[in-house]
Amino acid sequence: VGLAPPMVPKCMGTRIGGSLRWIVGHRLIARQQILRFEERKDGRIDIVVAGTLELIPPAPKRAHQGWRYLEAAAVLIDS
C-alpha cells in the first residue's frame, strides 16, 4: 500500500521499519509498518506501508497535519 504525503518526510532512511500511526476522530487508533519510500515520476514520494493495519488501544490525540517526530520517551514500541 502506498501513500503520497504532501510534504517529504525528514530522515526517510531512519523511518524504515518504524510505524505510520493513524489518528481518526481525535484518537490514535492504529499503525502500519513503513516498508520503504519510493520516488514518483511527479517528484513526490510514496510511503510504502504493510498491507495490514494493526489496531492499538485508542488514545486521545490532537489532530494535526504533517510529520511529528516523537521524543524517545514518548514513542510506542513497535512489535
Side-chain angles (χ1 to χ4, degrees):
V1 176
L3 307 165
M7 302 286 292
V8 175
K10 297 177 188 172
C11 308
M12 287 186 291
T14 63
R15 305 297 170 213
I16 296 170
S19 291
L20 183 122
R21 288 169 169 78
W22 293 94
I23 299 171
V24 178
H26 299 283
R27 295 226 180 268
L28 184 63
I29 62 159
R31 65 183 175 198
Q32 284 180 292
Q33 184 180 21
I34 298 173
L35 302 176
R36 65 185 175 279
F37 294 89
E38 294 180 349
E39 287 192 43
R40 295 171 26 156
K41 291 180 183 177
D42 63 5
R44 294 176 66 191
I45 299 289
D46 274 340
I47 305 170
V48 180
V49 295
T52 56
L53 190 65
E54 181 184 343
L55 298 178
I56 59 175
K61 187 72 173 169
R62 184 177 61 84
H64 61 266
Q65 291 181 332
W67 293 92
R68 298 295 182 268
Y69 300 103
L70 302 174
E71 295 296 325
V75 173
L76 299 170
I77 302 302
D78 289 333
S79 53

